[in-house]
Amino acid sequence: AWLHQACAARVFDPGTVLIANPSHLTTTRLFTLPSTDSQEIRDIVELQAEKHTPYAKEEILTDFRVLDTDQAGYSRVLLILSHQDIVHRALRLVEAMGWVLERVGFELEGLINWSRVAGVQTESAVLLAELDQETTTLVILQGDRPYAHRSLSIGAKQLTEDPVEGPAKQISDVQRTLETFDAEGFNLTVAAIVLTGQASRFPELK
């Protein structure tokens, strides 16, 4: 009801709507497959999906994106998994408003698009950290290609409530993410860390 009233007060009608599934409610996996055939990749991804979730197959929604292929016949694939209740909850809200749903996307897509518009994407690898109210999303990018993605269970709320231990834990989690990335052998050096979202409220993070 409140959303109806807010939109009516502002005479707001989006026409079509994109649902961006949040990172902390989504399971993502980045991996390399020995194929460039779209159907074969889909078959492999469906098998992989069952290994990366505790839910039954009929309870999850799955999709994937081929990030790039190489001359040796390998494909880097981003696998996205979400419990159907998460998406259906947002879908019911869109339907109740009488809006038209264009597609269901993923928060990582938005961050990649933002990094392109903001001029963050460079030839070097960059760690992008988006501080939200309840969580922080980390993604390591080279250009528009994600190489690592992680959602931390600490956001602006926790940093405000615990101004001493909160930032220290956040910095430690970022450091572990960088160490894990280095150990995976991508031969990429993270040249910069870019803070966005509510990070400007916490200068100690910089």
Side-chain angles (χ1 to χ4, degrees):
W2 66 267
L3 187 57
H4 264 295
Q5 294 171 1
C7 290
R10 293 168 175 79
V11 195
F12 173 73
D13 182 1
T16 57
V17 178
L18 166 67
I19 295 176
N21 217 38
S23 292
H24 69 286
L25 297 177
T26 310
T27 299
T28 62
R29 292 292 183 271
L30 286 158
F31 48 84
T32 301
L33 299 179
S35 177
T36 58
D37 179 81
S38 58
Q39 185 57 53
E40 188 174 11
I41 290 175
R42 179 170 294 278
D43 292 341
I44 297 173
V45 164
E46 289 180 357
L47 291 175
Q48 289 287 334
E50 297 180 33
K51 299 178 181 179
H52 293 291
T53 176
Y55 304 114
K57 183 178 181 180
E58 58 271 14
E59 294 180 309
I60 61 173
L61 297 175
T62 306
D63 205 350
F64 71 94
R65 174 182 172 187
V66 177
L67 301 175
D68 55 63
T69 59
D70 60 26
Q71 294 182 345
Y74 285 83
S75 301
R76 288 191 64 251
V77 177
L78 170 64
L79 169 64
I80 303 170
L81 302 149
S82 181
H83 195 283
Q84 62 179 357
D85 289 350
I86 303 298
V87 177
H88 289 170
R89 186 166 59 229
L91 179 58
R92 286 193 294 270
L93 176 61
V94 172
E95 291 176 340
M97 292 297 295
W99 293 339
V100 177
L101 179 66
E102 181 176 328
R103 62 187 293 266
V104 177
F106 175 45
E107 183 181 11
L108 180 59
E109 293 178 288
L111 283 176
I112 293 174
N113 291 337
W114 175 85
S115 70
R116 183 186 303 113
V117 173
V120 173
Q121 296 179 3
T122 64
E123 293 184 4
S124 301
V126 173
L127 171 63
L128 181 61
E130 182 193 40
L131 181 67
D132 207 339
Q133 182 66 12
E134 302 276 353
T135 60
T136 298
T137 300
L138 303 179
V139 56
I140 295 178
L141 297 168
Q142 184 188 38
D144 61 355
R145 297 177 180 178
Y147 282 84
H149 173 260
R150 185 182 179 194
S151 182
L152 307 179
S153 59
I154 182 170
K157 179 181 178 181
Q158 295 89 338
L159 295 180
T160 301
E161 293 173 348
D162 191 352
V164 177
E165 294 297 328
K169 182 180 185 303
Q170 188 78 306
I171 292 168
S172 177
D173 286 343
V174 171
Q175 181 64 38
R176 279 198 296 270
T177 299
L178 289 170
E179 292 170 353
T180 301
F181 177 72
D182 286 342
E184 291 181 352
F186 285 112
N187 294 320
L188 288 174
T189 299
V190 175
I193 297 177
V194 178
L195 303 177
T196 184
Q198 299 189 46
S200 60
R201 293 174 48 197
F202 305 94
E204 60 271 28
L205 293 181
K206 184 177 295 186

